[in-house]
Amino acid sequence: MRKHIWQKVLAISLIVILSLTLVGCGDNSAKNIEDYPTKSITVMVGFNPGGGVDTAVRGIQPYLQKYIGKTVLVENKPGNQGLIAMNYVGEQKPDGYTLIATTNAMSLNAMIFPESYKLKAAPEEALIPIYSWVNGDGNGIFVSQESAIKTWDDLVAKAQTEEGIKIAGSGIGSTDHITAITLTKIYGGKWTFVPMDSAGEVASAVLGGQVDAGSSSPGAASLDPSRVNMLAVTLKERAEKWPDAPTFIELEKPELYILFVIGLMAPAGTPPEIIAKLEEAMDQARNDQAFIDWAENAKQPIGKEGWRAETYKSYLTDYQSNMKALIPDIQEALKAAQGGQ
Amino acid sequence: MESVVLQGLLSSLAPTSIIAVLVGVFVGIAVGIVPGIGAGVGLSLLLPIIFNVPPLIGLMLLLALWASDGYGASISSILLNVPGGAGAVATCFDGHPMAQQGKAGEAIGISMASSMLAGILGTFVLMLAAPPLAKLAVKIGPAEYTIMAILGMTLIGGMAGKNRIKGLVSAIIGLMVSFIGYDLTTGFVRYNFGSAYLFDGIEFELVLIGFFAIGELMQAGEEGGTVAEFGKMTGTVMGGFKEALKRPMSILRSSLVGVVMGVLPGIGITISSMAAYEVEKKFSKTPEKFGTGMVEGIIGPEAANNSCQPAALIPTLTLGIPAGSTSAVFLGALIMYGLTPGMDLFTNKAPLVWAMMWGIIVASIAYVLVGLIFANWFAKLTILPIEYLVPCTLVTCFIGAFVTTNSFYDLVVAFLFGLIGYVMAVLKYPPAPAILGVVLGPILEKNYFRALLLSDGSHRIFFNGTLAICLWCILALILFAPLLFKLFKNRKEAKLLRNL
């Protein structure tokens, strides 16, 4: 009786699987470089749907589709702060049909957590920059409106006391964490980083008074100017949402010029002709009035202009060489946290 | 004010809105039924589609999907003993025994009525008390969350059923699984066997699929026969509806549990539905009958997981702080439409916000109407031979596992957990405590270490503040009250005997 049932179970499973496989089959043939693209293009997103990177990609997708002339599919492969997707795309055929939407923090993560990075090429060489269409946001340090701390100087002064500053940010090794480590390095005193799961939780901890300050993108939806007081931002110029918050450049700490950059990249080895085609289409998409209107309405920090491959690449090179100097500090901070338990 | 409320109601009843709600309800029930995919995945699949749709229609679609997911999930729990989603684990306990008695229709009816009423109640709380509740919710810090997680551990006793030891072992397996991957406080990666895939730990859905769907189903497949013991059906959907309506206090209590836990970021439907089940058991005159098909045992989790949804919207809409992964996707949709959460949303976009809130109520009624048409068909699955049911469900589960993250490894992990789950099922280790362990582990761990970071390592932080003290008192009460009660009862009996 038992054997008989298992045979049936197996047979029916196979039938269901096979029939579903047939549905999934399609045309996969690639043609010449000049004809590119001849089929749909997939953009991998290493983060969850609804997150910052995902929203930015979904926002530009219809326009990229319009100018490249083929369907553009967006696929989420979250995990490992984007590294799962980076590992995956880095291994794909460099034919321009599998691309990745990245943040500047991803290559840094690959350096901080070498055990999670699986590609043979160095993190800064595994992917070729194509175009960046979101480069207007960075990081900001904020407190609750109810807090006794009102200005950046107040915060720095408190960091020098025995109590020190408790600063919440999302995730270990994140831009938030790096900002906190850099702050300790520059200003001295005691800055205890309290890692949270998301920007929302950071805002919640600040509003609830559990921490002194928080570190988040100034553009984050969870930061409401009527409840939160932004003290300083890591941008080049003051953010529109926070006209009273100085930049660190104004505060004469240019080390804290940190941007949050989202861009499109292709696996190393992708022919330059294909990169050029994609770059052109992205530039047209970024400057399409309908996209600009959407970005304004959705408060996307797209910045003044899109970055073509060259600008994008030179920013990344600068960023990576700046950050490389910090990696020993970050790894030491991590070790200290691990030893402390 | 009144005109805005009315205007919202009218726009939620416009033909286009109703169509959006109906589409949302169908998709919601479908993703609910399939184990491993729930509202979160459903919402993220629809996000790109609603991109070019006006905000009102797009958001109504998402909310309707989200609201009906909980009802869909309970169908798999009741019929197959495989929870269709995280919030429906506790529904298995009494829902499935009822189906085995041939009363699947009745169980579905109970689930529908309590889901609908709880959804409506939760929405009223959202309408009336959102801003103050959100303010309260952010006041709760890591120390309080730590104590709440310890409180959550006491639920294991209830989940374990007859064999406490086996229940504890199962919970420990769950906790151990939850420790796999990257430690959020230190960045240290644990138990990942050198694999980058395990860096983020194991998706809760995969454990659910493995332990329940694969483990339990394979065992059921071996036994053969039909789900309903005699291949016959008694009890109707309408009958179940009436049974649920006869117990308004149960619905009210469980909805309250759902609302309280829904507002708190990070607690979520799994724990709230299990807690509501325990609360119902505590209030019952016949707690020993729980697990054999008690009506209250279905009302508890079903009401709690449906009132959780509108409650989760409270911090999302007022503060832009998502209460869980599903509300995070919903927040993404709001941002995509250029709707910035905050008090601004309630003043400047009031008609849209009210239409959304009414939309949840319209959706709650809609899924009951849709559900009524299909419920009897669903119930008939219980008189189908199990050998046909098992393979179809298994394949659906694996698709569910794959859809969540698009990763082949997920299939491997789901399969491995299926093997563990199968061994556990054969040895009669209950899977529910393991699920509780997987969910509670990270809440406990993260918040414990965060609290210590805040207090510079002093444990005194766990006893600071009224709320913390209250929570410890509740914990003491839960742990020692039954003991004291027994002692008291014994004394009374002894006295009575002496007086004789």
Side-chain angles (χ1 to χ4, degrees):
Chain A
M1 180 65 189
R2 249 187 152 167
K3 198 178 167 196
H4 166 73
I5 284 174
W6 278 111
Q7 277 171 348
K8 249 193 210 171
V9 167
L10 216 72
I12 297 173
S13 301
L14 273 176
I15 293 171
V16 180
I17 292 171
L18 281 177
S19 50
L20 286 166
T21 323
L22 281 177
V23 175
C25 283
D27 175 35
N28 280 323
S29 55
K31 309 237 166 58
N32 290 329
I33 292 176
E34 298 90 71
D35 301 334
Y36 175 88
T38 54
K39 58 174 185 175
S40 60
I41 298 167
T42 305
V43 177
M44 303 299 292
V45 175
F47 303 89
N48 278 313
V53 182
D54 182 70
T55 308
V57 177
R58 309 258 180 214
I60 196 124
Q61 181 248 2
Y63 306 102
L64 176 59
Q65 201 162 271
K66 179 172 159 192
Y67 293 108
I68 200 80
K70 278 277 179 261
T71 313
V72 175
L73 304 167
V74 180
E75 230 175 84
N76 298 80
K77 213 176 186 46
N80 238 338
Q81 306 209 355
L83 288 183
I84 297 255
M86 188 172 169
N87 289 339
Y88 172 81
V89 174
E91 278 172 358
Q92 298 306 302
K93 231 196 264 166
D95 56 4
Y97 292 105
T98 316
L99 308 172
I100 183 168
T102 60
T103 71
N104 48 340
M106 262 164 66
S107 56
L108 186 68
N109 272 317
M111 296 180 213
I112 301 175
F113 301 110
E115 70 273 24
S116 322
Y117 179 73
K118 297 287 168 190
L119 297 176
K120 282 189 199 89
E124 56 269 45
E125 281 157 15
L127 300 169
I128 310 175
I130 301 172
Y131 194 87
S132 159
W133 74 104
V134 175
N135 49 46
D137 213 354
N139 220 348
I141 310 293
F142 64 98
V143 294
S144 164
Q145 289 274 15
E146 289 164 20
S147 164
I149 297 165
K150 296 289 173 205
T151 65
W152 177 251
D153 290 337
D154 291 351
L155 192 75
V156 173
K158 195 176 177 218
Q160 313 303 325
T161 63
E162 201 190 326
E163 219 182 321
I165 288 289
K166 306 272 187 295
I167 181 165
S170 56
I172 287 283
S174 62
T175 315
D176 295 345
H177 189 198
I178 291 162
T179 310
I181 290 172
T182 320
L183 283 172
T184 322
K185 222 179 154 188
I186 296 177
Y187 288 99
K190 190 174 163 198
W191 304 75
T192 310
F193 182 71
V194 183
M196 297 290 172
D197 282 341
S198 63
E201 283 192 15
V202 174
S204 173
V206 171
L207 291 176
Q210 287 121 28
V211 291
D212 301 300
S215 167
S216 264
S217 296
S222 47
L223 301 186
D224 182 348
S226 69
R227 295 171 194 275
V228 155
N229 190 2
M230 185 65 69
L231 298 180
V233 294
T234 66
L235 309 176
K236 201 171 228 165
E237 287 158 28
R238 292 191 178 200
E240 248 172 71
K241 190 175 165 190
W242 314 96
D244 298 329
T247 66
F248 281 102
I249 298 173
E250 288 174 59
L251 295 168
E252 292 171 359
K253 306 286 180 209
E255 305 94 309
L256 278 165
Y257 167 52
I258 301 173
L259 289 185
F260 176 62
V261 178
I262 301 174
L264 196 64
M265 290 197 171
T270 308
E273 296 87 345
I274 289 180
I275 301 283
K277 265 188 187 167
L278 283 165
E279 183 190 5
E280 198 48 44
M282 279 299 288
D283 195 49
Q284 284 172 316
R286 159 65 179 80
N287 294 313
D288 190 305
Q289 194 53 45
F291 170 75
I292 295 172
D293 289 345
W294 169 80
E296 196 160 305
N297 189 30
K299 301 207 170 53
Q300 291 291 304
I302 56 170
K304 293 231 160 53
E305 53 190 10
W307 291 349
R308 286 182 158 267
E310 210 162 302
T311 326
Y312 185 20
K313 193 176 176 163
S314 77
Y315 172 80
L316 286 179
T317 316
D318 282 354
Y319 171 81
Q320 280 153 356
S321 64
N322 278 343
M323 287 299 147
K324 259 188 188 156
L326 271 178
I327 285 179
D329 287 293
I330 297 169
Q331 281 172 336
E332 199 174 308
L334 288 180
K335 243 184 226 149
Q338 284 159 15
Q341 276 182 33
Chain B
M1 180 70 185
E2 274 160 34
S3 70
V4 180
V5 178
L6 206 68
Q7 203 185 330
L9 177 61
L10 286 179
S11 40
S12 76
L13 289 172
T16 44
S17 307
I18 297 282
I19 293 171
V21 165
L22 282 178
V23 174
V25 164
F26 276 109
V27 182
I29 295 180
V31 297
I33 290 177
V34 178
I37 37 178
V41 176
L43 252 59
S44 20
L45 289 177
L46 282 189
L47 257 190
I49 299 169
I50 61 156
F51 205 85
N52 297 314
V53 174
L56 174 66
I57 296 176
L59 295 174
M60 291 276 261
L61 181 65
L62 295 187
L63 286 171
L65 187 160
W66 192 359
S68 41
D69 163 69
Y71 159 66
S74 71
I75 294 177
S76 327
S77 296
I78 292 168
L79 300 182
L80 302 167
N81 203 21
V82 177
V89 173
T91 313
C92 293
F93 302 152
D94 283 271
H96 192 61
M98 217 175 218
Q100 286 175 324
Q101 293 153 21
K103 294 191 286 187
E106 191 180 329
I108 293 179
I110 298 169
S111 150
M112 273 200 302
S114 37
S115 296
M116 173 183 78
L117 290 173
I120 295 174
L121 276 172
T123 311
F124 281 133
V125 175
L126 168 67
M127 287 173 167
L128 299 173
L133 275 180
K135 256 195 176 155
L136 273 180
V138 298
K139 290 277 177 224
I140 297 172
E144 286 84 4
Y145 274 109
T146 310
I147 312 170
M148 279 194 267
I150 298 172
L151 259 172
M153 294 285 174
T154 62
L155 294 174
I156 294 168
M159 305 287 111
K162 281 174 209 112
N163 196 327
R164 288 280 162 95
I165 301 293
K166 286 186 175 177
L168 279 178
V169 171
S170 167
I172 288 169
I173 292 177
L175 280 173
M176 277 166 34
V177 169
S178 84
F179 293 145
I180 294 176
Y182 152 98
D183 171 359
L184 187 86
T185 340
T186 64
F188 190 69
V189 182
R190 308 164 295 187
Y191 316 117
N192 72 331
F193 306 102
S195 151
Y197 169 75
L198 288 175
F199 189 93
D200 283 314
I202 287 179
E203 288 278 335
F204 160 75
E205 282 80 7
L206 299 178
V207 184
L208 195 72
I209 291 176
F211 280 9
F212 274 97
I214 304 173
E216 296 268 297
L217 265 186
M218 289 217 281
Q219 219 216 351
E222 275 187 0
E223 281 164 13
T226 59
V227 173
E229 258 157 30
F230 307 105
K232 254 197 317 201
M233 301 231 304
T234 55
T236 61
V237 179
M238 281 323 281
F241 229 84
K242 279 181 203 142
E243 283 297 318
L245 293 182
K246 270 189 222 154
R247 293 165 174 81
M249 282 318 286
S250 288
I251 295 180
L252 204 65
R253 264 197 306 265
S254 310
S255 305
L256 202 70
V257 172
V259 166
V260 170
M261 305 222 169
V263 174
L264 299 176
I267 295 282
I269 52 173
T270 319
I271 299 173
S272 73
S273 56
M274 288 182 178
Y277 182 83
E278 278 304 291
V279 169
E280 280 315 298
K281 206 182 197 176
K282 289 258 146 62
F283 272 93
S284 169
K285 285 192 189 96
T286 53
E288 70 283 354
K289 281 195 185 156
F290 272 71
T292 60
M294 286 285 281
V295 177
E296 289 88 350
I298 303 176
I299 293 179
E302 280 308 297
N305 69 28
N306 280 281
S307 63
C308 231
Q309 182 232 349
L313 282 173
I314 292 175
T316 314
L317 291 178
T318 54
L319 301 173
I321 295 169
S325 53
T326 314
S327 23
V329 183
F330 188 75
L331 180 66
L334 287 177
I335 293 170
M336 197 181 79
Y337 280 130
L339 300 164
T340 317
M343 284 331 287
D344 192 45
L345 191 66
F346 283 79
T347 47
N348 289 343
K349 303 272 180 188
L352 180 68
V353 172
W354 279 97
M356 269 162 50
M357 297 195 280
W358 284 113
I360 304 174
I361 294 185
V362 174
S364 302
I365 297 169
Y367 69 71
V368 167
L369 295 180
V370 172
L372 278 177
I373 304 170
F374 291 109
N376 282 319
W377 290 93
F378 285 138
K380 288 217 171 85
L381 286 177
T382 53
I383 49 173
L384 221 73
I386 276 185
E387 58 256 47
Y388 293 106
L389 220 51
V390 172
C392 294
T393 319
L394 277 180
V395 174
T396 325
C397 287
F398 274 112
I399 295 172
F402 188 68
V403 164
T404 316
T405 52
N406 268 328
S407 159
F408 173 74
Y409 289 106
D410 282 359
L411 297 182
V412 179
V413 170
F415 181 74
L416 286 177
F417 275 97
L419 288 183
I420 301 172
Y422 177 69
V423 173
M424 282 172 63
V426 170
L427 298 177
K428 299 259 178 289
Y429 282 86
I435 302 294
L436 191 69
V438 176
V439 177
L440 279 177
I443 301 180
L444 180 63
E445 195 194 5
K446 268 188 293 210
N447 286 296
Y448 174 72
F449 285 116
R450 272 178 202 160
L452 288 183
L453 275 174
L454 292 179
S455 68
D456 292 314
S458 158
H459 279 81
R460 206 171 293 155
I461 188 169
F462 297 108
F463 301 96
N464 269 351
T466 338
L467 185 63
I469 302 293
C470 286
L471 287 169
W472 283 118
C473 291
I474 296 175
L475 182 64
L477 211 68
I478 291 178
L479 288 180
F480 301 117
L483 223 77
L484 290 176
F485 190 68
K486 230 185 216 163
L487 220 73
F488 183 69
K489 214 169 137 190
N490 285 349
R491 266 215 191 143
K492 225 174 166 182
E493 271 166 13
K495 222 181 192 176
L496 275 174
L497 281 175
R498 242 182 292 149
N499 287 351
L500 279 174

